[in-house]
Amino acid sequence: MAFDNQAFEGGFADAVYDAQTCFRALMDALANPGTIQSLTAETQPPLPLTAELGAIAQALFDHDTKVWLDSRLAASSAVREWLSFQTGLELVSEIGEAHFALVSDIAQMPPLDVFAKGTSEYPDRSATIIMALDGFTGTQTLQLQGPGIEHVRDFAPSTLPVRFSEQWAANAALFPRGVDLVFAAPKTVAALPRSTKLIKNGN
């Protein structure tokens, strides 16, 4: 594959250190659902791929990783080339084949149940959906319970998928199968693993 010059630019300044710090932030977010973790590792990918999605991609993806892009990201050859050069990933068009999904437009994303949910024998063969959003001061506050949460934790992402409470309840009912969610906002990241339950929301 021939790459445009833009594909070679904008990756981690220190590939090993930045990947490690980003990975640690993601693990902390998954272990403590609904908490906001600092994401200090920086990338400068071509738009509409955000800096945070780019950093997470560099930290998690490699040549064995199958990744689905939403329509806005997939439409950009610069984004596709940057991701391919920086990570070596395999881009897939069949959403159910993807280990990870990158979503730049949460309002238009497909329903959660079309992503890979794992199997009874291999629940780890499920998808992690990584979504870009503006921040964590949204008007709709979710109340979370589950592993990593002592009692109840409030979580208010700026944007949520359509009919999120209904979709998430169906996902939680599949446990230990089901998808995991990562929310990436400017210089921050948060997560909802499949083990997290909603006890109250604004829907």
Side-chain angles (χ1 to χ4, degrees), residues 80-152:
R80 298 194 308 271
E81 290 177 1
W82 190 90
L83 287 167
S84 295
F85 176 78
Q86 297 292 339
T87 73
L89 85 178
E90 177 184 350
L91 293 175
V92 297
S93 58
E94 292 296 328
I95 197 167
E97 296 179 0
H99 305 137
F100 292 91
L102 292 180
V103 175
S104 63
D105 186 354
I106 296 177
Q108 299 300 319
M109 69 179 280
L112 299 183
D113 63 6
V114 303
F115 294 90
K117 295 174 284 295
T119 66
S120 299
E121 296 80 9
Y122 301 101
D124 57 320
R125 294 180 180 176
S126 59
T128 298
I129 306 169
I130 305 164
M131 298 173 281
L133 72 170
D134 294 333
F136 299 102
T137 55
T139 57
Q140 179 179 328
T141 299
L142 308 176
Q143 290 192 311
L144 313 178
Q145 276 188 336
I149 302 171
E150 185 173 0
H151 298 297
V152 176

Side-chain angles (χ1 to χ4, degrees), residues 18 37 43 53 89 97 140 165 181:
D18 289 343
Q37 306 292 327
T43 62
L53 290 184
L89 85 178
E97 296 179 0
Q140 179 179 328
S165 60
L181 304 183

Side-chain angles (χ1 to χ4, degrees):
M1 176 185 293
F3 292 106
D4 185 271
N5 287 340
Q6 190 175 9
F8 303 109
E9 303 169 352
F12 285 147
D14 184 327
V16 174
Y17 176 78
D18 289 343
Q20 288 176 341
T21 58
C22 184
F23 186 78
R24 175 60 185 272
L26 288 166
M27 293 303 100
D28 286 346
L30 286 162
N32 301 278
T35 63
I36 314 305
Q37 306 292 327
S38 295
L39 195 63
T40 57
E42 295 186 356
T43 62
Q44 294 181 320
L47 294 175
L49 190 69
T50 67
E52 292 74 30
L53 290 184
I56 293 169
Q58 280 205 263
L60 294 182
F61 303 166
D62 60 24
H63 65 279
D64 290 323
T65 310
K66 295 182 178 181
V67 180
W68 178 86
L69 306 179
D70 74 359
S71 58
R72 272 207 323 187
L73 296 175
S76 169
S77 60
V79 166
R80 298 194 308 271
E81 290 177 1
W82 190 90
L83 287 167
S84 295
F85 176 78
Q86 297 292 339
T87 73
L89 85 178
E90 177 184 350
L91 293 175
V92 297
S93 58
E94 292 296 328
I95 197 167
E97 296 179 0
H99 305 137
F100 292 91
L102 292 180
V103 175
S104 63
D105 186 354
I106 296 177
Q108 299 300 319
M109 69 179 280
L112 299 183
D113 63 6
V114 303
F115 294 90
K117 295 174 284 295
T119 66
S120 299
E121 296 80 9
Y122 301 101
D124 57 320
R125 294 180 180 176
S126 59
T128 298
I129 306 169
I130 305 164
M131 298 173 281
L133 72 170
D134 294 333
F136 299 102
T137 55
T139 57
Q140 179 179 328
T141 299
L142 308 176
Q143 290 192 311
L144 313 178
Q145 276 188 336
I149 302 171
E150 185 173 0
H151 298 297
V152 176
R153 180 171 293 142
D154 289 345
F155 182 52
S158 59
T159 311
L160 285 166
V162 175
R163 298 172 64 186
F164 180 70
S165 60
E166 178 182 331
Q167 291 197 66
W168 193 249
N171 187 69
L174 297 172
F175 189 83
R177 300 166 60 225
V179 301
D180 300 313
L181 304 183
V182 172
F183 299 84
K187 298 187 182 300
T188 52
V189 64
L192 292 182
R194 70 195 74 172
S195 57
T196 303
K197 295 181 178 181
L198 303 184
I199 61 170
K200 180 182 178 182
N201 60 73
N203 281 357

